[in-house]
């Protein structure tokens, strides 16, 4: 991982500290209770729901199928900007069809280093260029041929959504 880049990003984000709120709560309950205030404050809301596929194995408080579906039905009705990250799963893509979906690549290094693909889903425009894998990832973790195939598949998925 790039320690200097992470430090730089944290420092940049910290300059917005007085404007940020982090809430640990069920998204649907929180938004229903605080939606009016969120609209009045011209907020951008970021959701980080439990993973769809691995959620029960990873989280004490995970979503069942009905909760994932409820979130997918409710969030697009919001009148303020929102963005969420979700695991890249066909069911999630189908739940959020009609929304802006951008694949992103993330470095994971818990047990072993690997690159995973997740989805950013939003009601605002997301620039695909901003979320491409870094050159570091490209060179160290993929064979060039496999990387090109992954990029092509990612672009095809983006176009099909």
């Amino acid at each position: 991982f790039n320690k200097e880049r992470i430090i730089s990003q944290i420092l940049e984000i910290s300059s917005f500290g007085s404007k940020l709120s982090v809430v640990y709560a069920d998204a649907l309950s929180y938004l229903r209770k605080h939606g009016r205030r969120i609209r009045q404050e011209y907020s951008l809301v970021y959701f980080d729901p439990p993973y769809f596929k691995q959620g029960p194995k990873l989280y004490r408080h995970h979503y069942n199928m009905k909760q994932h579906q409820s979130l997918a039905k409710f969030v697009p009705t919001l009148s303020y900007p929102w963005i969420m990250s979700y695991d890249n799963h066909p069911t999630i893509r189908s739940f959020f069809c009609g929304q802006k979906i951008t694949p992103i690549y993330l470095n994971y290094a818990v047990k072993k280093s690997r690159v995973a693909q997740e989805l950013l889903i939003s009601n605002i425009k997301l620039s695909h260029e901003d979320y491409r894998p870094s050159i570091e990832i490209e060179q160290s973790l993929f064979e060039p041929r496999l990387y090109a195939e992954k990029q092509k598949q990612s672009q095809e998925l983006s176009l099909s959504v």
Side-chain angles (χ1 to χ4, degrees):
F1 74 101
N2 186 331
K3 184 177 179 180
E4 289 76 27
R5 181 173 161 226
I6 293 171
I7 291 170
S8 172
Q9 290 173 331
I10 290 170
L11 290 172
E12 186 175 346
I13 291 168
S14 72
S15 69
F16 296 98
S18 64
K19 298 178 181 182
L20 296 174
S21 297
V22 177
V23 178
Y24 175 77
D26 174 69
L28 289 172
S29 301
Y30 183 83
L31 293 172
R32 287 182 176 131
K33 184 174 182 181
H34 300 283
R36 184 176 186 165
R37 180 180 53 81
I38 293 169
R39 277 191 304 278
Q40 291 171 342
E41 292 176 354
Y42 303 103
S43 299
L44 167 70
V45 176
Y46 169 72
F47 304 96
D48 189 18
Y51 285 130
F52 179 77
K53 185 175 179 180
Q54 295 293 326
K57 294 178 185 175
L58 296 173
Y59 307 111
R60 186 173 67 188
H61 302 289
H62 60 276
Y63 279 6
N64 60 34
M65 180 66 79
K66 185 177 178 185
Q67 290 168 307
H68 285 289
Q69 288 173 321
S70 294
L71 183 66
K73 287 179 184 174
F74 180 75
V75 170
T77 68
L78 300 175
S79 61
Y80 43 85
W82 57 267
I83 187 169
M84 72 170 59
S85 56
Y86 240 123
D87 44 333
N88 188 1
H89 192 277
T91 303
I92 296 301
R93 285 183 171 277
S94 70
F95 284 171
F96 289 96
C97 68
Q99 301 304 311
K100 294 167 182 72
I101 300 176
T102 301
I104 59 171
Y105 297 86
L106 304 169
N107 285 324
Y108 287 109
V110 177
K111 292 183 180 178
K112 63 179 184 171
S113 293
R114 67 181 178 94
V115 175
Q117 187 181 41
E118 291 192 6
L119 302 174
L120 285 183
I121 305 169
S122 186
N123 66 345
I124 59 176
K125 185 177 186 293
L126 301 171
S127 171
H128 186 72
E129 294 297 318
D130 294 339
Y131 306 104
R132 288 182 187 261
S134 69
I135 297 298
E136 182 180 298
I137 296 170
E138 182 178 331
Q139 291 174 345
S140 65
L141 297 174
F142 293 120
E143 293 292 325
R145 181 183 54 79
L146 295 175
Y147 178 75
E149 289 173 10
K150 284 187 174 291
Q151 285 294 92
K152 185 178 177 185
Q153 290 172 353
S154 175
Q155 290 172 352
E156 291 171 353
L157 288 173
S158 294
L159 296 174
S160 68
V161 172

